[in-house]
């Protein structure tokens, strides 16, 4: 976006932000009746507890050993035999790509309207 368009947008939005619509105090009454949500502290504590529990379980079940073992098995089996591709897998992959592409096209078309 060029500088002139940016300035026009800034001017338009600054003027729009300063406008007030007379609603006889309706907005203030509605805003005062909305429930106050102080959930930030709770969500932070909950997130910290979940991370702590995950770390403890990862340590208890020897997560690093399991992870390295799975990677080793993956690498060994990948190089031991050639990959087997079934026609059903190819059809499913192509159908998935088609659905993703269609979604992107329709969402973009809806966006530019």
């Amino acid at each position: 976006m060029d500088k002139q368009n940016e300035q026009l947008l800034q001017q338009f939005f600054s003027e729009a932000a300063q406008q007030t619509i007379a609603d006889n105090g309706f907005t203030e009454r509605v805003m005062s009746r909305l429930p106050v949500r102080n959930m930030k502290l709770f969500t932070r504590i909950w997130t910290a507890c979940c991370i702590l529990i995950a770390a403890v379980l990862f340590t208890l079940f020897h997560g690093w050993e399991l992870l390295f073992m799975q990677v080793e098995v993956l690498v060994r089996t990948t190089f031991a035999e050639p990959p087997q591709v079934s026609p059903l897998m190819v059809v499913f992959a192509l159908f998935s790509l088609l659905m993703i592409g269609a979604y992107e096209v329709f969402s973009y078309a809806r966006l530019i309207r």
Side-chain angles (χ1 to χ4, degrees):
M1 187 179 299
D2 62 347
K3 203 167 204 134
Q4 183 182 8
N5 285 344
E6 183 70 30
Q7 289 174 347
L8 288 172
L9 281 174
Q10 289 293 334
Q11 179 184 359
F12 173 76
F13 285 121
S14 66
E15 290 173 1
Q18 294 173 359
Q19 292 179 354
T20 57
I21 299 173
D23 61 358
N24 201 18
F26 176 76
T27 304
E28 287 80 15
R29 288 193 307 271
V30 169
M31 293 302 288
S32 67
R33 289 185 182 174
L34 290 176
V36 177
R37 294 188 180 189
N38 290 330
M39 297 295 286
K40 279 189 176 184
L41 179 63
F42 176 74
T43 56
R44 288 181 181 174
I45 292 172
W46 179 252
T47 302
C49 289
C50 289
I51 290 172
L52 182 66
I53 291 170
V56 167
L57 289 175
F58 192 79
T59 305
L60 281 176
F61 292 110
H62 307 285
W64 288 112
E65 294 173 19
L66 292 172
L67 184 64
F68 288 139
M69 185 174 51
Q70 290 298 320
V71 169
E72 181 184 357
V73 168
L74 175 72
V75 169
R76 286 183 186 215
T77 56
T78 300
F79 292 119
E81 52 188 61
Q84 301 293 323
V85 179
S86 72
L88 185 62
M89 285 174 40
V90 173
V91 169
F92 182 69
L94 291 175
F95 179 74
S96 301
L97 289 173
L98 177 68
M99 289 294 108
I100 292 170
Y103 172 76
E104 291 294 327
V105 167
F106 288 129
S107 63
Y108 180 73
R110 188 176 56 209
L111 183 68
I112 61 173
R113 277 192 220 166

